[in-house]
Amino acid sequence: WMPWMPPRLTRAGTSTAKSAGTPGTYPPRLGMFTMNVHGRSQAIDSMIAECFEPDEWQTGRLPKAKTGYWWVAFDGKIPAAFACLRPSIRSEHTGYLAMSGVLQKWRGQGLQRKLIRKRVAHARHLGWHTVITDTINHNAASMRSLIACGFRPYLPAVRWGDPAHAVYWTRSTEPRLSV
C-alpha cells in the first residue's frame, strides 16, 4: 500500500481484497477502483513517464488532464495500468479518452481494452452520446484496441494534439450489437 492509493472498492463500495488476486499470477486478476481527481498525482505521472516515450512526455505532446475520472488497475497491490476520461472541449455530450497506459510487465493481457470499455460505459452513464480520442500514428497496439472496442477513425473539423502524427477516433456510447 502506498499513501497516494485510496482503498480499492467494488461497485457496491466494499473492499476487493479477495478478488484482487495474488500479485504476479497469470493472467493477473485485477482489482480496479475509480479515482476522481482534480489533478494528476505524482504516482500517475510516474506511470505516464514509464509508458510513454521521453520526447512525448518532456515536450508536452501528451494531454494535460487536470481533472477527470481516473481508473487504475492493480495486480494485487501493484499498479498495472491507468486511464482517464474527461469531458470533451470539442462538443457537448462528448467524452474524451484523455490517456491510458499499461506498464510493460502487464502488456498483452487486454488491460487497455478493459479500460476503454470501462470509460465508454462511464461516459454513457454520464449521459454523453459520443466518445473521442486520438493516438500517435505509430501506436499500433492502441489503434488495435480502439478498433476492437468499436472506435473508427475520423477527421475532426479542428485538429488537436500533434496534428502531423495524430489519428483521431470516435464512437457512440450506445452498446454495440453482437453478431
Side-chain angles (χ1 to χ4, degrees), residues 2 4 15 17-18 29 34-35 48 50-51 57 63 71-72 75 84 93 95 103 120 122 134 150 152 156-157 179:
M2 296 176 209
W4 58 269
S15 172
K18 286 186 180 180
R29 292 176 51 208
T34 304
M35 182 169 57
I48 291 168
E50 188 174 332
C51 289
W57 176 242
W71 286 263
V72 179
D75 180 359
C84 180
H93 308 293
L103 299 181
V120 170
H122 193 70
D134 59 287
R152 297 293 172 247
V179 178

Side-chain angles (χ1 to χ4, degrees), residues 74-127:
F74 285 86
D75 180 359
K77 294 181 180 181
I78 304 167
F82 66 93
C84 180
L85 168 71
R86 63 185 172 127
S88 171
I89 61 171
R90 311 271 169 233
S91 59
E92 287 187 42
H93 308 293
T94 300
Y96 175 63
L97 305 186
M99 62 173 29
S100 181
V102 179
L103 299 181
Q104 184 68 41
K105 180 179 174 182
W106 292 275
R107 290 183 183 163
Q109 299 177 40
L111 292 179
Q112 171 102 324
R113 290 180 190 182
K114 288 178 184 179
L115 289 168
I116 290 170
R117 285 191 212 76
K118 180 83 169 169
R119 292 181 288 166
V120 170
H122 193 70
R124 182 180 322 115
H125 172 77
L126 293 170

